[in-house]
């Protein structure tokens, strides 16, 4: 409605209304009104006002004012009679006198009369040892303990020699004795389990107040083997080797733990045996009334020990009438291979049966 007029662009001013005078640039001063004197750099002092004297290094004393006498280090005892060390000589002499009073000389043992049966067993076993059926070596004395642990049927303690230099060699020497014990128990029980236990005392040297003292393990540790199953006399050699190797392994593990323990002596060697009843299949056994009344289990009424064979055949060829009778499965006997399996069979024979069939 109302047009806007465009303003003209003003031209730049050629000359300002108030001209500004340019100030001349001042020249630098050639000479200052107050000249500054340059200070000379001081030289280092050759000699100080207060010279420091160097202290001489003192020489080590050849002789002290209070000389200390060197005490001789006593030699360690090869075999100590007392596990505790008494530092004073008076206490040591008292302990020796007390030990002499308390010790008594044992009376000589009466001669034991060996029966004819025991002589025959020893004679037969000596022949076996000479032939090399088990192990070659001498038999060590052993005794049957009166009270065994509840979980063991018999416990035997083997007599330890007076001088034993190495426990590994001792375990090798007692192999004929362990074999003889196993053979003796197998004559009583058909199947047994055998466990070996050894008690060893260790020692180490320790310094207290610059004096060596021998410390012993108190109580002495026990090393046990696994329970090895022995079903017949042919397994005696294998079982004895397993027992001794496991004992050696446990002794090595104790030594590898460190602490600088050394072998001192063997405190005891024990063999524990127990009767072993393996799980086997046998003849017909009547079922309890609770299970029998359910009529869910076929119980084969066989008179022999081949319960496993009849049960497998009853599963493969179910009978319509009277499945508990053996006569229903006679014509299927040649289908399966039972070679090399003794009845009543053991659990380990099942794997053999599966491979053959």
């Amino acid at each position: 409605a109302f047009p806007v007029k465009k303003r003209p662009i003003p031209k730049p001013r050629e000359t300002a209304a108030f001209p500004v005078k340019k100030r001349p640039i001042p020249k630098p001063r050639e000479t200052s009104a107050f000249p500054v004197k340059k200070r000379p750099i001081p030289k280092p002092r050759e000699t100080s006002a207060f010279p420091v004297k160097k202290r001489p290094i003192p020489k080590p004393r050849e002789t002290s004012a209070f000389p200390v006498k060197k005490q001789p280090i006593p030699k360690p005892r090869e075999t100590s009679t007392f596990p505790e060390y008494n530092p004073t000589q008076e206490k040591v002499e008292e302990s020796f006198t007390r030990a002499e009073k308390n010790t008594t000389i044992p009376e000589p043992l009466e001669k034991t009369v060996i029966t004819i049966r025991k002589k025959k067993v020893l004679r037969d076993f000596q022949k076996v040892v000479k032939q090399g059926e088990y192990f070659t070596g001498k038999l060590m004395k052993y005794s049957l303990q009166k009270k065994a642990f509840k979980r063991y049927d018999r416990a035997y303690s083997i007599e330890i020699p007076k001088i034993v230099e190495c426990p590994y060699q001792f375990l090798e020497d007692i192999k004929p004795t362990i074999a003889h014990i196993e053979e003796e128990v197998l004559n009583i029980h058909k199947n047994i389990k055998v466990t070996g236990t050894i008690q060893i005392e260790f020692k180490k040297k320790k310094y207290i107040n610059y004096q060596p003292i021998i410390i012993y393990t108190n109580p002495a540790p026990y090393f046990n083997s696994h329970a090895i199953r022995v079903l017949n006399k042919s397994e005696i050699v294998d079982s004895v080797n397993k027992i001794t190797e496991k004992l050696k392994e446990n002794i090595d593990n104790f030594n590898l733990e460190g602490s600088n323990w050394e072998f001192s002596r063997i405190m005891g060697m024990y063999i524990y045996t127990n009767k072993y009843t393996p799980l086997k299949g046998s003849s017909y056994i009547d079922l309890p009334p609770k299970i029998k009344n359910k009529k869910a289990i076929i119980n084969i009424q066989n008179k022999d020990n081949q319960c496993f064979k009849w049960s497998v055949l009853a599963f493969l060829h179910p009978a319509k009438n009277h499945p508990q009778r053996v006569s229903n499965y006679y014509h299927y006997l040649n289908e399966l291979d039972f070679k090399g399996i003794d009845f009543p069979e053991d659990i380990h024979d099942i794997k053999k049966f599966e491979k053959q069939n």
Side-chain angles (χ1 to χ4, degrees):
F2 301 96
V4 180
K5 293 181 180 181
K6 291 182 180 180
R7 292 180 182 179
I9 298 168
K11 294 180 180 181
R13 294 177 184 177
E14 294 180 359
T15 58
F18 302 98
V20 180
K21 293 181 180 180
K22 293 181 180 179
R23 291 180 182 178
I25 297 168
K27 292 180 181 181
R29 295 177 184 176
E30 292 181 1
T31 57
S32 60
F34 303 97
V36 180
K37 292 181 180 179
K38 291 181 180 180
R39 293 179 181 177
I41 298 168
K43 293 180 180 180
R45 295 177 182 175
E46 294 181 359
T47 56
S48 60
F50 302 98
V52 180
K53 293 181 180 179
K54 291 182 180 179
R55 293 180 180 177
I57 299 169
K59 294 180 180 180
R61 295 177 181 176
E62 295 181 357
T63 56
S64 60
F66 302 96
V68 180
K69 293 181 180 179
K70 292 183 179 179
Q71 295 180 356
I73 300 171
K75 294 180 180 179
R77 298 176 183 174
E78 294 181 358
T79 55
S80 62
T81 54
F82 301 97
E84 297 182 358
Y85 178 78
N86 296 322
T88 57
Q89 188 66 22
E90 295 179 357
K91 291 183 179 180
V92 173
E93 291 177 357
E94 288 178 3
S95 59
F96 271 110
T97 53
R98 198 184 301 114
E100 288 177 358
K101 291 179 181 179
N102 295 331
T103 53
T104 56
I105 299 170
E107 296 179 359
L109 298 173
E110 297 180 357
K111 292 183 179 180
T112 56
V113 180
I114 301 174
T115 59
I116 298 171
R117 184 176 177 278
K118 286 185 178 180
K119 282 184 179 180
K120 186 179 179 182
V121 171
L122 288 172
R123 200 184 306 118
D124 293 341
F125 183 74
Q126 286 172 2
K127 290 179 183 178
V128 170
V129 171
K130 287 178 182 178
Q131 291 173 2
E133 184 179 348
Y134 297 131
F135 299 96
T136 56
K138 295 181 180 179
L139 290 175
M140 294 185 181
K141 293 182 180 179
Y142 64 90
S143 60
L144 178 65
Q145 293 184 356
K146 293 182 180 179
K147 292 183 180 180
F149 293 105
K150 290 183 180 179
R151 57 179 179 174
Y152 296 117
D153 184 22
R154 288 170 169 263
Y156 295 88
S157 63
I158 300 173
E159 187 176 343
I160 310 300
K162 293 182 179 180
I163 299 172
V164 179
E165 296 180 355
C166 179
Y168 304 113
Q169 185 61 39
F170 172 75
L171 291 173
E172 291 292 329
D173 295 339
I174 63 170
K175 282 184 177 181
T177 310
I178 299 173
H180 183 44
I181 292 170
E182 290 184 8
E183 187 184 23
E184 183 181 337
V185 181
L186 280 172
N187 294 329
I188 302 169
H189 305 297
K190 292 182 179 179
N191 306 315
I192 59 172
K193 278 189 174 182
V194 186
T195 308
T197 302
I198 188 170
Q199 186 183 15
I200 301 177
E201 184 185 58
F202 293 90
K203 64 180 180 180
K204 67 177 178 179
K205 190 186 292 184
K206 191 176 181 181
Y207 288 90
I208 298 175
N209 296 330
Y210 303 101
Q211 293 183 0
I213 296 173
I214 298 174
I215 299 174
Y216 295 86
T217 51
N218 188 14
Y222 287 86
F223 301 98
N224 303 318
S225 68
H226 296 306
I228 308 300
R229 184 183 61 187
V230 184
L231 302 180
N232 48 49
K233 292 183 180 181
S234 62
E235 297 180 358
I236 289 177
V237 176
D238 189 22
S239 63
V240 172
N241 288 329
K242 286 181 180 179
I243 290 169
T244 54
E245 290 299 324
K246 186 61 181 176
L247 292 174
K248 290 178 184 178
E249 183 183 349
N250 293 338
I251 295 168
D252 288 336
N253 293 334
F254 180 82
N255 291 331
L256 290 173
E257 291 178 359
S259 302
N260 299 324
W261 289 110
E262 296 178 358
F263 171 74
S264 175
R265 59 172 176 164
I266 296 174
M267 305 287 289
M269 180 68 202
Y270 309 98
I271 301 296
Y272 302 103
T273 62
N274 199 359
K275 185 180 178 181
Y276 173 62
T277 53
L279 184 62
K280 290 185 176 182
S282 60
S283 61
Y284 169 74
I285 298 173
D286 195 11
L287 295 174
K290 288 184 179 180
I291 301 174
K292 190 175 182 180
N293 294 332
K294 290 181 180 180
K295 297 181 180 180
I297 296 175
I298 298 172
N299 191 12
I300 307 296
Q301 297 178 0
N302 61 314
K303 296 181 180 180
D304 53 9
N305 290 327
Q306 300 179 6
C307 182
F308 175 73
K309 181 191 289 186
W310 302 119
S311 299
V312 173
L313 292 173
F315 173 76
L316 295 175
H317 305 283
K320 293 181 180 180
N321 298 322
H322 305 289
Q324 73 277 5
R325 294 181 181 178
V326 181
S327 58
N328 294 324
Y329 313 107
Y330 276 128
H331 49 281
Y332 301 116
L333 287 174
N334 297 326
E335 289 186 0
L336 300 176
D337 185 9
F338 290 96
K339 289 182 180 179
I341 298 174
D342 298 328
F343 294 97
E345 74 288 335
D346 195 2
I347 292 177
H348 300 282
D349 294 332
I350 296 174
K351 293 182 180 179
K352 188 177 181 181
F353 170 76
E354 290 176 350
K355 289 180 180 179
Q356 293 178 1
N357 298 279

